[in-house]
Amino acid sequence: MALPGPLKTAALGEREIVMTREFDAPRPLVFDAFTKPELVRRWLLGPDGWSMPVCEIDLKVGGRYRYVWKRDADGSTMGVSGAYREVSAPGRLVHTEKFDESWYPGESVVTTEFAETGGRTTVTMTMLFVSKDARDGVLKSGMESGVAVSYDRLDAILDEPRIVSTDAQPAAVIRLTIPRSDIQKVMGPAIGEVMAALGAQGVSPAGPVFAHHLSMDPGMFDFEVGVPVAGRVSPAGRVKPGELPAARVARTVYRGPYEGLGQAWGDFDKWIKGEGLKPAPDLWERYVKGPESGPDPATWRTELNRPLVS
């Protein structure tokens, strides 16, 4: 299964650049991050050492936007303005772009599309320039590195706690009731058993492995380990059809080794309580990125989901 990856940049035709980046967040949330000033000014900064003292957005057809960046080291500024030609929330934006001191000739037209699959959003930005020379000059400028840093910054913002509504998602699961101390030795074999059953049935995973804890006894874990699926699953040994439920949940993302999950849940529960929210008895973790992606635990990502009582 593909995971959210790095920025991809390519030339298209004579005058266009296409940039694509996937985010592990729902489309409305990503669209907000591109259109709400309080969010835009936190991530659309390019390389470190810049801030955005001016971020004005009039989000409507014919409305204008204005960004001004400031280099913290010397106070120098860079500004850009444009007008919205199309606003179709949360799927598509089209706007013009012209810098105060143009580093490429003329005005460009930027089309940004947001496509969601399985709770993840692919952002495709297409920039149309006035000429091939203008487009080629931008490709040679190193612009891509600044965009990549900004998108990485956005990725971190999207990890922050938020409230979302989930749809029911079919899954293949194994239910386990074990002492807490046995979790590490049973998880791997159970995941392998689920994957083998899916392979035998020709069913594809539709998301990362999860553990859905059904009760919170401190000494015993009563939970389902499984994976969302894109087709029908037949019972096979311990593997049964199941689902991740439709629910209103508090969600955040923890980055780090699995040994830190207990502390991460403690911090998250404090945030939930501080927001005046009431958690349901269950919770689930999605192992978005783990040891299979690389040996550095700092790059591992675990999504924490706590259903809420209305």
Side-chain angles (χ1 to χ4, degrees):
M1 183 193 70
L3 294 170
L7 176 69
K8 298 177 182 178
T9 302
L12 179 67
E14 293 291 314
R15 297 190 292 139
E16 292 178 303
I17 295 173
V18 179
M19 294 183 289
T20 306
R21 173 67 144 81
E22 188 180 60
F23 297 93
D24 189 28
R27 183 168 67 162
L29 186 65
V30 180
F31 186 88
D32 283 351
F34 276 75
T35 56
K36 291 189 174 182
E38 65 271 21
L39 296 175
V40 172
R41 70 195 321 154
R42 293 180 58 195
W43 68 268
L44 190 57
L45 302 174
D48 291 340
W50 288 80
S51 58
M52 185 186 283
V54 177
C55 183
E56 300 169 350
I57 296 174
D58 184 15
L59 191 64
K60 63 184 180 184
V61 175
R64 298 191 62 80
Y65 70 92
R66 170 75 175 163
Y67 304 152
V68 177
W69 294 272
K70 183 176 74 172
R71 191 196 302 268
D72 299 332
D74 58 14
S76 60
T77 61
M78 179 176 66
V80 66
S81 302
Y84 291 101
R85 294 185 174 180
E86 182 179 339
V87 178
S88 300
R92 181 178 164 95
L93 291 171
V94 181
H95 64 81
T96 60
E97 177 182 279
K98 186 173 178 61
F99 284 83
D100 295 352
E101 297 181 4
S102 293
W103 56 280
Y104 63 81
E107 180 180 76
S108 66
V109 178
V110 182
T111 300
T112 307
E113 296 175 302
F114 306 82
E116 181 177 347
T117 302
R120 301 187 309 189
T121 301
T122 298
V123 176
T124 302
M125 180 180 292
T126 304
M127 303 179 68
L128 174 64
F129 297 90
V130 296
S131 68
K132 183 178 185 300
D133 286 344
R135 190 277 307 274
D136 292 347
V138 171
L139 284 173
K140 295 175 182 177
S141 70
M143 170 270 299
E144 179 182 5
S145 62
V147 175
V149 170
S150 291
Y151 277 177
D152 287 345
R153 200 176 285 118
L154 171 57
D155 197 37
I157 290 172
L158 294 171
D159 285 353
E160 295 175 355
R162 61 187 185 271
I163 308 301
V164 301
S165 294
T166 65
D167 296 325
Q169 190 166 21
V173 302
I174 292 176
R175 185 163 181 172
L176 298 167
T177 304
I178 58 170
R180 186 186 187 100
S181 58
D182 287 351
I183 186 69
Q184 291 187 356
K185 67 182 180 182
V186 303
M187 278 288 287
I191 293 169
E193 191 174 336
V194 171
M195 292 302 186
L198 293 184
Q201 297 182 31
V203 178
S204 299
V209 171
F210 65 84
H212 183 191
H213 292 262
L214 305 173
S215 64
M216 302 307 299
D217 185 298
M220 295 291 294
F221 277 171
D222 180 13
F223 70 105
E224 293 176 336
V225 59
V227 62
V229 293
R232 183 177 178 180
V233 177
S234 298
R238 294 193 301 170
V239 180
K240 310 294 182 186
E243 71 172 22
L244 280 175
R248 179 171 175 261
V249 305
R251 173 177 291 171
T252 192
V253 173
Y254 162 70
R255 295 177 182 251
Y258 294 143
E259 291 80 5
L261 278 169
Q263 181 63 51
W265 274 111
D267 294 341
F268 189 32
D269 284 339
K270 288 179 183 177
W271 179 86
I272 293 171
K273 183 178 180 180
E275 294 294 310
L277 302 169
K278 184 179 179 181
D282 65 324
L283 58 82
W284 68 84
E285 301 170 344
R286 291 200 316 151
Y287 307 105
V288 177
K289 192 174 183 180
E292 76 288 344
S293 64
D296 183 4
T299 68
W300 301 355
R301 300 174 71 235
T302 306
E303 182 186 273
L304 312 183
N305 294 274
R306 194 70 191 259
L308 302 172
V309 177
S310 300

